[in-house]
Amino acid sequence: MRHARRRIVRRVTRLAAVGGLLLGGTMVTQAAMATETPATSATPRAAPESVVTNPGAALVKKLGTARTAGTWLDDEGRPVVAVTDDESAATVRKAGARPKLVDHSMNELKSAAATLRSAPTVPGTAWVTDYRTNEVIVQADSTVSASDWASLTKTATGIGSYVRMERTAGKFTTRLNGAQPILSTGGRCSAGFNVTNGTNDFILTAGHCGPTGSTWFADNTAQQQVGETVQQSFPVNDFSLVQYASGKAGDGADVVAIGNGNGVRITGTGDAAVGQRVFRSGSTTGLKDGQVTGLDATVNYPEGTVSGLIETNVCAEPGDSGGPMFSEGVALGITSGGSGDCTTGGTTFFQPVTRALAQLGVTLIVSAPADGQGGGAAASGGPQPSLSPTQAAIAPGSTSPGSTTPVTGVGGTSLAARLTDPNAIGPGLLVIGGSLVALVATRYFRAEQDRRAYRDYYSATWG
């Protein structure tokens, strides 16, 4: 009778242990799945959403460059349009924007820039049209000699009083590295935005990072290959395409990293507006912000001249090149170069994203914008821009980088990491451990009893 009770106890213990293993496994799986970051819905679009960053641009286009001289956003985010006559001012005022009478039209300002371009190139110089002061600002860094400065000043004086000369600290250089580092034998750069041609996915980054054929890695031991540069434009422009080795960007392709495992979802593209608050991400200095101070800037780098750039007062340092510039989740530019640093401040130039996409024949990989975010009309076939509030037509100080989300595929948590996280799955692991101990114990006791029974039988037979 006693042996029968022991067998019943062992069987019940084994059944309970097996049940504990099943229960513990279920607990571990549920805990792991609960800590998994939801996948972002990244959808390549035939035509990414084009966001209107300054409604005043529609008025400039309507009135023409002979009667206007640019548009910008004031401190409250309202559009201002520079006009050359009272009739144009009345049109702007009627449309709901604020006019500003100026002496020189955009045609005159562009003519001044063309004259500067035709002069002998001086590395270390740059110029940009300042819409708010109605001037063309010519800058020269510390590498420009006194004789070259005098020659450039003579050219500027010949154009007119609306060309202003400035000396700037530091020197104009391209900025290597960036938000998510990619490395090659030519240096270290940054992944800017993910783009696609419908068949393959690419990284859009700075053109000065490396020539066509450059192979890029995610580590400095050249073990994790990212891809290869298949198209490059530098100088003149500053953009290139790095085709992913796998052909696809993977999960989180619509997110740009901003540090601490976080990123910003990109929902569309836009053209930067003077006065707009913008954000830049880079591996050297992280997330920084500032304002757009000029458009269509020309920079004479030591490696060559690049035109059509966005000028900002966002700081950057060597190591930030190729990184993304954005605002409210809208892709605006990729870091080209500049002067100064993030201790004393400086000037940074960006390659406009819209121009790069058009010339490369690719589209941005974006996520669907959340309700109430990133309004704007489609680039073609949609409604024309209006003077209603848009993504940038709000107080610049209230602007954010965009919708923040954990970075997946780069800084996300893998399933293996979740399965080894005792904080998330501790109870389940304890149940599994206890069940295994119970199974081993019942097996040990059964084996010990069998040995004793055999010993007793052997003794009775041969004793």
Side-chain angles (χ1 to χ4, degrees), residues 15-344:
L15 288 173
V18 171
L21 286 175
L22 294 174
L23 175 62
T26 302
M27 292 171 67
V28 167
T29 302
Q30 289 178 343
M33 293 303 103
T35 58
E36 183 174 8
T37 302
T40 303
S41 176
T43 313
R45 297 178 179 176
E49 183 179 13
S50 180
V51 177
V52 179
T53 57
N54 184 359
L59 285 169
V60 168
K61 183 177 181 180
K62 176 182 177 180
L63 294 171
T65 54
R67 303 172 64 187
T68 62
T71 177
W72 63 94
L73 301 172
D74 63 17
D75 293 340
E76 285 73 43
R78 297 172 301 183
V80 181
V81 179
V83 294
T84 58
D85 58 80
D86 293 332
E87 183 180 350
S88 299
T91 301
V92 170
R93 198 175 291 109
K94 184 178 180 180
R98 182 165 66 88
K100 180 181 179 181
L101 282 170
V102 296
D103 296 327
H104 306 285
S105 69
M106 181 58 73
N107 287 346
E108 293 177 86
L109 299 176
K110 286 186 174 181
S111 177
T115 301
L116 291 168
R117 279 195 298 270
S118 64
T121 301
V122 179
T125 60
W127 53 83
V128 64
T129 301
D130 189 333
Y131 297 160
R132 288 173 287 196
T133 64
N134 198 225
E135 295 174 314
V136 175
I137 311 298
V138 180
Q139 302 176 60
D141 67 19
S142 59
T143 66
V144 177
S145 66
S147 59
D148 283 338
W149 174 255
S151 177
L152 201 58
T153 301
K154 183 178 180 181
T155 301
T157 303
I159 296 173
S161 60
Y162 56 95
V163 178
R164 177 157 53 94
M165 303 291 292
E166 289 183 351
R167 277 282 193 176
T168 184
K171 58 182 180 180
F172 293 122
T173 59
T174 52
R175 307 293 204 182
L176 292 177
N177 298 4
Q180 289 293 305
I182 50 176
L183 304 95
S184 76
T185 55
R188 188 167 184 254
C189 253
S190 159
F193 298 99
N194 284 308
V195 298
T196 183
N197 62 6
T199 302
N200 295 303
D201 295 345
F202 309 84
I203 297 171
L204 176 64
T205 188
H208 67 261
C209 289
T212 299
S214 299
T215 302
W216 295 94
F217 300 89
D219 63 320
N220 55 15
T221 61
Q223 298 297 314
Q224 303 176 41
Q225 184 174 341
V226 175
E228 180 179 308
T229 301
V230 294
Q231 200 167 344
Q232 181 224 25
S233 181
F234 179 81
V236 180
N237 298 300
D238 195 1
F239 54 75
S240 64
L241 284 180
V242 176
Q243 182 172 337
Y244 279 101
S246 63
K248 296 298 179 183
D251 293 338
D254 60 328
V255 176
V256 296
I258 60 173
N260 298 321
N262 290 321
V264 167
R265 287 192 177 96
I266 300 302
T267 59
T269 62
D271 293 315
V274 174
Q276 180 181 8
R277 187 186 182 205
V278 293
F279 299 81
R280 173 202 58 74
S281 185
S283 65
T284 299
T285 56
L287 183 69
K288 300 294 181 180
D289 69 291
Q291 280 193 336
V292 175
T293 53
L295 302 175
D296 199 22
T298 296
V299 185
N300 295 306
Y301 294 124
E303 301 91 341
T305 300
V306 181
S307 298
L309 299 176
I310 304 166
E311 183 192 61
T312 73
N313 59 12
V314 184
C315 72
E317 296 179 5
D320 289 329
S321 197
M325 181 179 76
F326 46 90
S327 182
E328 296 290 343
V330 177
L332 299 171
I334 48 179
T335 309
S336 174
S339 65
D341 55 42
C342 288
T343 301
T344 60

Side-chain angles (χ1 to χ4, degrees), residues 331-359:
L332 299 171
I334 48 179
T335 309
S336 174
S339 65
D341 55 42
C342 288
T343 301
T344 60
T347 299
T348 304
F349 299 95
F350 296 85
Q351 169 71 53
V353 163
T354 52
R355 184 175 304 176
L357 295 176
Q359 294 195 31

